[in-house]
Amino acid sequence: MSKQVIVLNGGSSAGKSGIVRCLQAILPDPWLAVGVDRLIEAMPATMRSPESIDFAADGTVIVGPEFDRLQEAWMAGVAATVGAGAHVIVDDVFLGGAGSQQRWRAVLDGLDVLWVGVRCAAEVAAGREIARGDRVRGMAVAQADSVHQGVVYDVEVDTTHTESIVCARTIAARL
Amino acid sequence: MSKQVIVLNGGSSAGKSGIVRCLQAILPDPWLAVGVDRLIEAMPATMRSPESIDFAADGTVIVGPEFDRLQEAWMAGVAATVGAGAHVIVDDVFLGGAGSQQRWRAVLDGLDVLWVGVRCAAEVAAGREIARGDRVRGMAVAQADSVHQGVVYDVEVDTTHTESIVCARTIAARL
Amino acid sequence: MSKQVIVLNGGSSAGKSGIVRCLQAILPDPWLAVGVDRLIEAMPATMRSPESIDFAADGTVIVGPEFDRLQEAWMAGVAATVGAGAHVIVDDVFLGGAGSQQRWRAVLDGLDVLWVGVRCAAEVAAGREIARGDRVRGMAVAQADSVHQGVVYDVEVDTTHTESIVCARTIAARL
Amino acid sequence: MSKQVIVLNGGSSAGKSGIVRCLQAILPDPWLAVGVDRLIEAMPATMRSPESIDFAADGTVIVGPEFDRLQEAWMAGVAATVGAGAHVIVDDVFLGGAGSQQRWRAVLDGLDVLWVGVRCAAEVAAGREIARGDRVRGMAVAQADSVHQGVVYDVEVDTTHTESIVCARTIAARL
């Protein structure tokens, strides 16, 4: 096992968090789990405004310059954590598709990354969004395909008909 | 629609909570969601001791007399809430199988109940337990079959290969 | 100790929940903790709309007829739980002041109730609202005095300069 | 305002999190909030074992080599995030007292740090630990003084008789 960081990309309610927890449970070494959801929680409450990030009524996410700047700094921090010897799993949503991957590539330059695409059929993700109960409706459908556009992966999993633990085993086999 | 209360029974990590939230989302009237997990949270922290309820290392749940007494009183409260005109969905784990159903039958006597069995293959529920990350390991397997023993249902759903929202629609069709 | 139910009334961020947990910790018998916050969580997500309950931008709470109806049924359930032998602590916000107490009095008729007022200076509660980080701004100030208007208590505590555990001991001494 | 990072040190239940949220609310620029509690959540569930971190029955925290290694890497990440231009508030518990500060000093070398001590009388913190309800009993008392031994601060606040928002204003005035 030589990979130092696993980057999971997928739309909202595609099942990334469950896969992350399964990976942490089955991998022999301890891996730290970080992600954009935790980043948002680390921001001031007022940052969830049109100036920064906003969840529109239709589920579209609008990211402002302030959010962008903090995200960029956070990404540098993730790279440094990996550089300092920790194994890290990143749970992200590439709102910019290939452009988002390019940003991560630049930040993680020189590190051994496993790129993972987490897919889920839009209508299934939409149902899971309802089942979770605490998500803005529409994000799952809005992001299901768009976040994968132009992104290149080492391995792809699809949670539509496959359990988190099985997806995690598929990913772990590629480390 | 004449049913006044829906009782869902299933093992830990079978997917009951997701179905409850989907039911609340698709049913035209507002339904209150109550359940044994919320009941446990309503108890003093010290109640999660061998005297009351305990989650053993192998996932077995041990319920003591104090827990039992409070649960009985809570069940009477649920019945009264329904009797006072609220539609209620109960999310429970029949640790005593048919005996647990008999207790609910006595309490809900005179009310129009829809009994729902929520099944999930033990190995799949075990994987979801890992994916949730905050559950005692082993509960899913320990409860998968035992909670259904001798219980009679109006409708049964199986989340092994069926999404929460689809299960919810199946249940809603029986109201 | 003959009291069967403790009803705590106070504005948002006055410190009721902390007192409830302290009461559960220091009272020799197990007491169930219920409250309007848990009731709201039990409602469908869509119930937090102008038709039911809404947290306006200035912190004013608007309660609609649907919310009111479910609350009434839930109150009947609380009374039945107490009637069935459980000790219960109710954590409520009397948006209607004396009228809210009258509603509880009718529902809890025949039970031995300890009425507790939880006060906190508006400016202090406003600061704690910010410190909690997950509350609508303005509720603390809007409710600090109004919820106590015309309400009659057996005991009053003030968290402005007194810790939760000390308030809990004052209340416990009156049981 | 030239400070780039604020490091708050204090024992469990001293009130650090509330001060962090108040700081985020009152500071004109957006500050990211990170801390050891979030770090622990980012670790695998199994990391809360005698090999890594453990909360003993008396509230003493035992940190193992694996935990230590991940914490060190996480600290490097925090420094890089600050270096990349984000303002960051660190919420930490210096289990090693002056030694912990020395570790942070080495990691944050070259950055403009505001060192803040958050104190709270042990008996008051112990009461708040009960009021929070989800903390291991005894941590507050065990850490109240020990985490400050040999630590040098730019500013100290004491939550025993002072609200979070007031402490936050005191800290903000020193930026």
Side-chain angles (χ1 to χ4, degrees):
Chain A
M1 195 193 303
S2 64
K3 295 292 180 189
Q4 298 167 284
V5 55
I6 302 170
V7 179
L8 287 109
N9 173 45
S12 182
S13 292
K16 298 183 299 298
S17 302
I19 293 174
V20 170
R21 285 188 288 262
C22 287
L23 279 169
Q24 289 188 299
I26 66 176
L27 291 174
D29 289 325
W31 287 69
L32 281 182
V34 305
V36 70
D37 280 1
R38 295 294 86 70
L39 171 63
I40 293 173
E41 287 176 13
M43 294 182 179
T46 49
M47 281 290 291
R48 297 165 202 183
S49 75
E51 286 305 298
S52 41
I53 188 169
D54 196 30
F55 302 101
D58 69 348
T60 311
V61 178
I62 304 136
V63 171
E66 278 291 16
F67 182 91
D68 216 54
R69 203 174 58 76
L70 288 179
Q71 189 173 29
E72 194 83 41
W74 166 76
M75 289 165 73
V78 172
T81 300
V82 178
H87 286 128
V88 175
I89 308 172
V90 180
D91 173 346
D92 202 7
V93 181
F94 288 3
L95 294 177
S100 299
Q101 186 174 35
Q102 194 42 49
R103 259 174 104 183
W104 273 113
R105 271 195 206 285
V107 164
L108 299 175
D109 188 43
L111 299 171
D112 208 345
V113 186
L114 185 78
W115 298 96
V116 181
V118 181
R119 293 184 180 271
C120 181
E123 70 275 14
V124 169
R128 292 179 189 169
E129 188 172 70
I130 295 170
R132 293 171 82 175
D134 60 349
R135 304 286 145 158
V136 176
R137 294 279 192 90
M139 289 179 69
V141 167
Q143 301 176 353
D145 293 318
S146 64
V147 301
H148 296 290
Q149 286 185 353
V151 182
V152 181
Y153 299 112
D154 296 309
V155 55
E156 291 187 57
V157 292
D158 189 323
T159 67
T160 311
H161 300 295
T162 310
E163 295 292 315
S164 301
I165 187 74
V166 178
C167 294
R169 286 195 199 110
T170 300
I171 297 165
R174 298 296 297 271
L175 288 174
Chain B
M1 194 192 304
S2 64
K3 296 290 181 189
Q4 297 167 286
V5 55
I6 302 171
V7 179
L8 285 108
N9 173 46
S12 183
S13 292
K16 299 182 298 299
S17 302
I19 294 174
V20 170
R21 284 188 288 264
C22 287
L23 279 169
Q24 288 188 301
I26 66 176
L27 292 173
D29 289 326
W31 286 69
L32 282 181
V34 305
V36 70
D37 281 0
R38 294 295 86 72
L39 170 64
I40 292 172
E41 288 175 13
M43 294 183 179
T46 48
M47 281 291 291
R48 296 164 202 183
S49 77
E51 288 304 299
S52 40
I53 187 169
D54 195 31
F55 301 101
D58 68 347
T60 312
V61 178
I62 305 137
V63 170
E66 278 289 16
F67 182 90
D68 216 54
R69 203 174 58 76
L70 288 179
Q71 188 173 29
E72 193 85 39
W74 166 75
M75 289 164 73
V78 172
T81 300
V82 178
H87 286 128
V88 175
I89 308 172
V90 180
D91 173 346
D92 202 7
V93 182
F94 288 3
L95 293 177
S100 299
Q101 185 174 35
Q102 193 43 48
R103 259 174 106 184
W104 273 114
R105 272 196 206 286
V107 164
L108 298 175
D109 186 42
L111 300 171
D112 207 344
V113 186
L114 186 77
W115 298 95
V116 181
V118 180
R119 293 183 180 271
C120 182
E123 69 275 15
V124 169
R128 291 179 189 169
E129 189 173 68
I130 295 170
R132 294 171 81 174
D134 61 347
R135 302 288 146 157
V136 176
R137 294 278 192 89
M139 288 179 69
V141 167
Q143 300 175 354
D145 292 319
S146 64
V147 301
H148 297 290
Q149 285 186 353
V151 182
V152 181
Y153 298 113
D154 295 308
V155 55
E156 291 187 58
V157 293
D158 190 323
T159 67
T160 311
H161 300 295
T162 310
E163 295 292 314
S164 301
I165 187 74
V166 178
C167 294
R169 287 195 199 110
T170 300
I171 298 164
R174 299 296 297 271
L175 288 173
Chain C
M1 192 193 304
S2 65
K3 295 292 181 188
Q4 298 167 284
V5 55
I6 303 171
V7 179
L8 286 110
N9 173 46
S12 183
S13 292
K16 299 182 299 297
S17 303
I19 294 174
V20 170
R21 284 188 287 263
C22 288
L23 279 168
Q24 288 188 298
I26 66 176
L27 292 173
D29 289 325
W31 286 68
L32 282 181
V34 304
V36 70
D37 281 0
R38 294 294 86 72
L39 170 63
I40 291 172
E41 287 176 12
M43 294 182 179
T46 49
M47 281 292 291
R48 296 164 202 182
S49 76
E51 287 305 298
S52 41
I53 187 169
D54 195 31
F55 302 101
D58 69 346
T60 311
V61 178
I62 305 137
V63 171
E66 278 289 16
F67 182 91
D68 216 54
R69 203 174 57 77
L70 288 179
Q71 188 173 30
E72 194 84 39
W74 166 75
M75 290 165 73
V78 172
T81 299
V82 177
H87 286 127
V88 176
I89 308 172
V90 180
D91 173 346
D92 202 6
V93 181
F94 289 2
L95 294 176
S100 299
Q101 185 173 37
Q102 193 44 48
R103 259 174 104 184
W104 273 114
R105 271 195 206 287
V107 164
L108 298 174
D109 187 43
L111 299 171
D112 208 343
V113 186
L114 185 78
W115 298 96
V116 181
V118 180
R119 292 183 181 271
C120 181
E123 69 275 15
V124 169
R128 292 179 188 169
E129 188 173 71
I130 294 170
R132 295 171 80 176
D134 61 348
R135 303 287 146 159
V136 176
R137 293 279 192 90
M139 288 179 68
V141 167
Q143 300 175 354
D145 293 319
S146 65
V147 301
H148 297 289
Q149 286 185 354
V151 181
V152 181
Y153 298 113
D154 296 308
V155 54
E156 290 186 59
V157 293
D158 189 324
T159 68
T160 312
H161 300 296
T162 310
E163 295 291 315
S164 301
I165 188 73
V166 178
C167 293
R169 287 195 198 109
T170 301
I171 297 165
R174 300 295 297 271
L175 287 175
Chain D
M1 193 192 303
S2 64
K3 296 291 181 190
Q4 298 167 285
V5 55
I6 303 170
V7 179
L8 286 111
N9 173 46
S12 183
S13 291
K16 298 182 298 299
S17 302
I19 293 174
V20 170
R21 284 188 287 264
C22 287
L23 279 169
Q24 289 188 300
I26 67 176
L27 291 174
D29 289 325
W31 286 69
L32 281 182
V34 305
V36 70
D37 281 1
R38 293 296 86 70
L39 170 63
I40 292 172
E41 288 175 11
M43 293 183 181
T46 49
M47 282 290 291
R48 295 163 202 184
S49 77
E51 287 306 297
S52 42
I53 189 170
D54 196 31
F55 301 101
D58 69 347
T60 311
V61 179
I62 304 137
V63 170
E66 278 290 17
F67 182 90
D68 216 53
R69 203 174 58 76
L70 288 179
Q71 188 173 30
E72 194 84 39
W74 166 76
M75 288 164 73
V78 172
T81 300
V82 178
H87 285 127
V88 175
I89 308 171
V90 180
D91 173 345
D92 202 7
V93 181
F94 288 2
L95 293 177
S100 300
Q101 186 173 36
Q102 194 43 50
R103 259 174 105 183
W104 273 114
R105 270 194 207 288
V107 164
L108 299 175
D109 187 42
L111 299 171
D112 208 344
V113 186
L114 186 77
W115 299 96
V116 181
V118 180
R119 292 183 181 272
C120 182
E123 70 274 15
V124 169
R128 291 179 189 169
E129 189 173 69
I130 295 170
R132 293 171 82 175
D134 60 349
R135 304 286 146 158
V136 176
R137 293 278 192 91
M139 288 179 69
V141 167
Q143 301 176 352
D145 293 318
S146 64
V147 300
H148 297 290
Q149 285 185 354
V151 182
V152 181
Y153 298 112
D154 295 308
V155 55
E156 291 186 57
V157 293
D158 189 323
T159 67
T160 311
H161 299 296
T162 311
E163 295 292 314
S164 301
I165 187 74
V166 178
C167 294
R169 286 195 198 110
T170 301
I171 297 164
R174 299 295 297 271
L175 286 175

